[in-house]
Amino acid sequence: MSASSLALNEASDRSPLHPFPEGWYFVASRADFRKGKLIHKTWLGEEIVAWCDERGRVCVADAVCPHLGSSLAPEVGSRVCEGRLVCPFHGFEYDTTGRCVATPYALPPTSARLKVYPTREIEGMVFGWWGLRGRPPQWELPDVPSRSRTHAGESRWTGLRFHTIRFPGHPQETTENSVDLAHLRYVHGYESVSRVGDIAIDGACLRGSFDFKARLGVGRLLSTTFDVSAVTHIHGLGYSQVDFEEHSTGYRSRLWILSTPIDGTSVDMTIASQVGGMERPKGLGIGLRLLPLPVRLDLMNRMTLRMETGYVKEDVLIWSRKRYLTRPRLNQADGEVLAYRRYCEQFYEGLDEDHGRTGGRLIARQI
Ligand code: FES
Ligand SMILES: [Fe+2]
């Protein structure tokens, strides 16, 4: 067994959490669905394929042909032709609803349907719904104002930039960082971190706000302190969005932290960023006025993604080696961790015993 697979197994053995809580999980960016491309990956323990037709309609489906069970992976010979997925074994063709619409030698059987996952798209990010025993979506992702629908007078936003990191972990553990404000100082070096109001929980949505100062640069003389407000929107364990506003420069950014279980031991963490504001940069950013706005915003987005990826890598060092404690010994200032874990219970309903792991409800009783 290789050192890396040994590390993954150890991570799996030490987590009592069910590996696949219900929710919406990132599949791929819209750009990845470029015409004719067939995406193939392991997602929530399933082998899936995803593609879009010529009208841009997306399909995410299990990579198994319902005719005689061929794999629909492109490596086996599966392909997209005129918006239809064509099986390499007998040439059955499927549209983006999953229906078999043609075969090379007879009428298509009406019972031949791919197992498809409901999808949603936000700002060029495509998500699939992972429902308990295949049930339909129980709640929705947020309605994020997109660039194309931004009202007059509001900030212009860049497109999204992406970076993905794979490591041993679990989406509940990674998302817990959003309420664990204490780590922001010790892991990331933020200063003056303060919660603004209580976290608010409404069904599958958890919202929290905090302010902090971040010192960027080298040494005391060559560094500057930035004054930042952040609002976190969590919608299940696969979707976290953080809106940042820096008060001295007028910089604004949106960051998505999308944690997607792969195989029960590892997660793909996709970081997506976009930048807005900066129409009239102030303070240290005033020199950026020399650049046209789109260039200015794109430059800031590149820097943002690099910086945030660096912060996430600091977290990965902890996440990939930590254990999930069902009875954490918290201090008085850690109260929101418990509120967060109670919020998480809803995503394990009906999963109490599976894969030899315990669900969120049992964990909550043990705390
Ligand atoms: S197994 Fe796919 S067409 Fe026969
Ligand atoms: Fe962090």
Side-chain angles (χ1 to χ4, degrees):
M1 186 180 289
S2 71
S4 60
S5 61
L6 188 63
L8 288 178
N9 288 339
E10 285 176 354
S12 165
D13 289 345
R14 58 177 191 245
S15 178
L17 296 168
H18 189 284
F20 307 132
E22 188 172 66
W24 292 97
Y25 292 97
F26 182 65
V27 176
S29 70
R30 167 57 76 170
D32 286 337
F33 279 86
R34 67 180 183 276
K35 205 172 165 187
K37 179 171 177 187
L38 181 58
I39 296 165
H40 172 228
K41 55 170 36 179
T42 306
W43 181 85
L44 283 295
E46 299 290 345
E47 209 183 326
I48 60 164
V49 285
W51 80 99
C52 74
D53 65 17
E54 285 155 339
R55 292 174 60 186
R57 292 175 297 206
V58 160
C59 183
V60 176
D62 275 356
V64 179
C65 178
H67 177 220
L68 278 168
S70 172
S71 166
L72 294 170
E75 295 83 346
V76 182
S78 185
R79 62 199 164 86
V80 177
C81 184
E82 296 180 347
R84 297 169 175 178
L85 179 63
V86 184
C87 177
F89 201 2
H90 311 92
F92 281 31
E93 298 181 19
Y94 299 92
D95 70 10
T96 50
T97 69
R99 199 165 55 98
C100 180
V101 290
T103 81
Y105 51 88
L107 284 175
T110 51
S111 61
R113 279 187 165 272
L114 301 177
K115 182 186 170 194
V116 299
Y117 296 90
T119 58
R120 299 288 184 272
E121 183 171 345
I122 295 177
E123 280 293 89
M125 297 175 286
V126 176
F127 296 85
W129 169 257
W130 175 261
L132 172 64
R133 285 186 273 282
R135 69 177 177 174
Q138 305 294 300
W139 41 272
E140 285 297 328
L141 288 173
D143 186 20
V144 178
S146 83
R147 284 178 298 147
S148 55
R149 289 187 287 117
T150 299
H151 301 298
E154 287 189 2
S155 286
R156 174 175 177 162
W157 291 88
T158 64
L160 267 64
R161 288 190 172 275
F162 294 90
H163 187 83
T164 299
I165 306 172
R166 180 169 293 189
F167 58 91
H170 187 283
Q172 179 173 325
E173 291 269 66
T174 56
T175 307
E176 191 168 276
N177 263 32
S178 301
V179 297
D180 172 12
L181 297 192
H183 95 283
L184 295 175
R185 177 178 171 192
Y186 290 99
V187 176
H188 306 306
Y190 294 1
E191 298 170 5
S192 308
V193 180
S194 61
R195 169 71 70 197
V196 179
D198 296 329
I199 59 171
I201 296 175
D202 181 10
C205 172
L206 185 153
R207 189 172 179 276
S209 304
F210 58 96
D211 293 339
F212 65 93
K213 295 187 191 307
R215 180 180 291 276
L216 297 177
V218 184
R220 285 230 154 241
L221 290 177
L222 293 175
S223 64
T224 307
T225 300
F226 293 95
D227 186 10
V228 186
S229 292
V231 182
T232 304
H233 312 262
I234 299 171
H235 293 262
L237 305 183
Y239 182 101
S240 295
Q241 177 191 337
V242 192
D243 297 344
F244 293 103
E245 182 166 3
E246 203 289 313
H247 299 291
S248 65
T249 58
Y251 158 94
R252 296 172 67 195
S253 70
R254 287 178 183 151
L255 190 74
W256 282 268
I257 308 287
L258 309 172
S259 194
T260 306
I262 302 303
D263 52 7
T265 54
S266 52
V267 294
D268 269 352
M269 174 159 285
T270 298
I271 307 150
S273 73
Q274 69 176 172
V275 165
M278 307 292 290
E279 285 87 355
R280 297 185 61 76
K282 302 176 286 184
L284 270 185
I286 203 160
L288 291 169
R289 290 190 188 187
L290 297 172
L291 298 172
L293 183 59
V295 177
R296 188 187 306 164
L297 290 175
D298 189 54
L299 175 69
M300 292 306 292
N301 199 21
R302 285 171 189 269
M303 290 172 59
T304 297
L305 183 63
R306 180 176 301 185
M307 184 177 68
E308 296 296 345
T309 299
Y311 286 138
V312 168
K313 285 180 176 171
E314 292 172 340
D315 288 318
V316 168
L317 195 62
I318 305 281
W319 285 327
S320 58
R321 291 164 176 81
K322 82 185 287 290
R323 288 170 190 261
Y324 182 85
L325 298 184
T326 55
R327 300 171 189 269
R329 305 304 183 195
L330 304 174
N331 73 18
Q332 286 185 333
D334 290 327
E336 283 164 339
V337 170
L338 289 186
Y340 166 76
R341 290 191 177 189
R342 281 192 292 274
Y343 157 82
C344 291
E345 289 176 23
Q346 63 185 299
F347 308 116
Y348 299 92
E349 293 286 349
L351 294 175
D352 278 351
E353 284 298 333
D354 197 4
H355 294 268
R357 296 151 198 260
T358 56
R361 180 166 294 284
L362 181 54
I363 287 162
R365 280 205 305 272
Q366 289 173 337
I367 287 169

